[in-house]
Amino acid sequence: FMERQAVAVHDTAIVLATWADDTKSNVDIRRAVQEIEHKGDAIVHEVEDALARTFVTPIDREDIHKLSSLIDDILDLINLTARSAVLYGVERPTPPMVKLMTMLVDATLVLKDAVPSLRKHDYAAFVDAKRLVVKIEKESDTVFREAVSSLFRDVAIDAKVLLREKEVLEDLERAVDQFDGFAEFLTNLAVKNG
């Protein structure tokens, strides 16, 4: 289940990143992202149903549920970003948005690559994944802060444009920031089960 969720998150990040191409509109991206997000929600329900029916689990039931929830939260935040772009009328992503989307794709790839280690009980891989994710998350903080600072320092920018772009930047940053909690949880799993 977790591996399927991780693939869904990575696929969603890739779809969102295609917004940088001139071939798809923000509406097209939102539809495609939401479609995958709905599939992710279905997997969460499968996890919950399986936990309700299974007496013995390979790791603590609470940990399985928490991991599933953390992955779903990332998926929800990617979906929120796509929705915000449409709701606020951000037709094309700015260069900082493109950078954050690329970082999001990188972080979701780390997630996708790390989750199968759970099946193998290779908890040491989680420590490596945490380091990679924390590095990406810190870099994204810098990109976000610089982008917002530039928006507020640009005297020629329209206030509506500033608010629109800031909202989408914040949603992207929240999605990448969510990996910090995910990385911490992976480390806790490694310590608890390793």
Side-chain angles (χ1 to χ4, degrees):
F1 295 121
M2 305 303 143
E3 290 170 18
R4 286 172 45 218
Q5 274 189 291
V7 168
V9 168
H10 184 60
D11 290 349
T12 306
I14 289 171
V15 168
L16 182 65
T18 64
W19 183 32
D21 304 336
D22 286 334
T23 58
K24 294 186 180 178
S25 72
N26 58 358
V27 174
D28 294 333
I29 297 300
R30 182 189 180 279
R31 279 189 200 118
V33 164
Q34 191 159 23
E35 184 178 314
I36 300 170
E37 192 269 342
H38 288 318
K39 291 176 185 173
D41 285 344
I43 297 169
V44 170
H45 296 305
E46 288 179 54
V47 169
E48 290 168 348
D49 290 345
L51 285 172
R53 291 189 320 268
T54 306
F55 184 68
V56 178
T57 56
I59 61 173
D60 286 344
R61 304 163 77 71
E62 295 83 12
D63 289 342
I64 293 170
H65 187 263
K66 175 79 172 174
L67 183 58
S68 178
S69 294
L70 285 168
I71 296 171
D72 187 55
D73 289 345
I74 295 167
L75 191 54
D76 290 343
L77 288 167
I78 295 170
N79 187 39
L80 177 64
T81 301
R83 273 197 338 239
S84 292
V86 173
L87 287 172
Y88 294 108
V90 178
E91 298 293 326
R92 303 284 359 129
T94 62
M97 288 177 199
V98 172
K99 283 183 188 175
L100 289 171
M101 288 187 294
T102 300
M103 291 175 173
L104 188 57
V105 169
D106 292 345
T108 61
L109 181 59
V110 172
L111 165 70
K112 186 180 120 187
D113 290 346
V115 169
S117 298
L118 186 61
R119 182 190 298 266
K120 301 172 197 163
H121 302 284
D122 179 11
Y123 299 109
F126 289 169
V127 176
D128 295 334
K130 179 190 178 185
R131 287 185 188 119
L132 288 170
V133 167
V134 167
K135 182 177 182 273
I136 294 167
E137 193 272 327
K138 288 196 181 310
E139 290 171 4
S140 75
D141 285 343
T142 302
V143 170
F144 171 74
R145 282 192 300 272
E146 288 174 0
V148 171
S149 176
S150 292
L151 284 173
F152 280 98
R153 291 179 189 277
D154 184 353
V155 293
I157 196 167
D158 180 86
K160 287 189 248 179
V161 172
L162 182 146
L163 292 173
R164 287 177 189 151
E165 290 183 8
K166 182 178 175 285
E167 191 68 32
V168 173
L169 285 165
E170 284 176 347
D171 290 341
L172 278 167
E173 175 59 11
R174 273 187 234 128
V176 179
D177 274 349
Q178 190 69 28
F179 280 90
D180 199 32
F182 168 75
E184 192 60 40
F185 184 72
L186 286 183
T187 304
N188 290 341
L189 271 179
V191 169
K192 185 176 179 180
N193 297 292

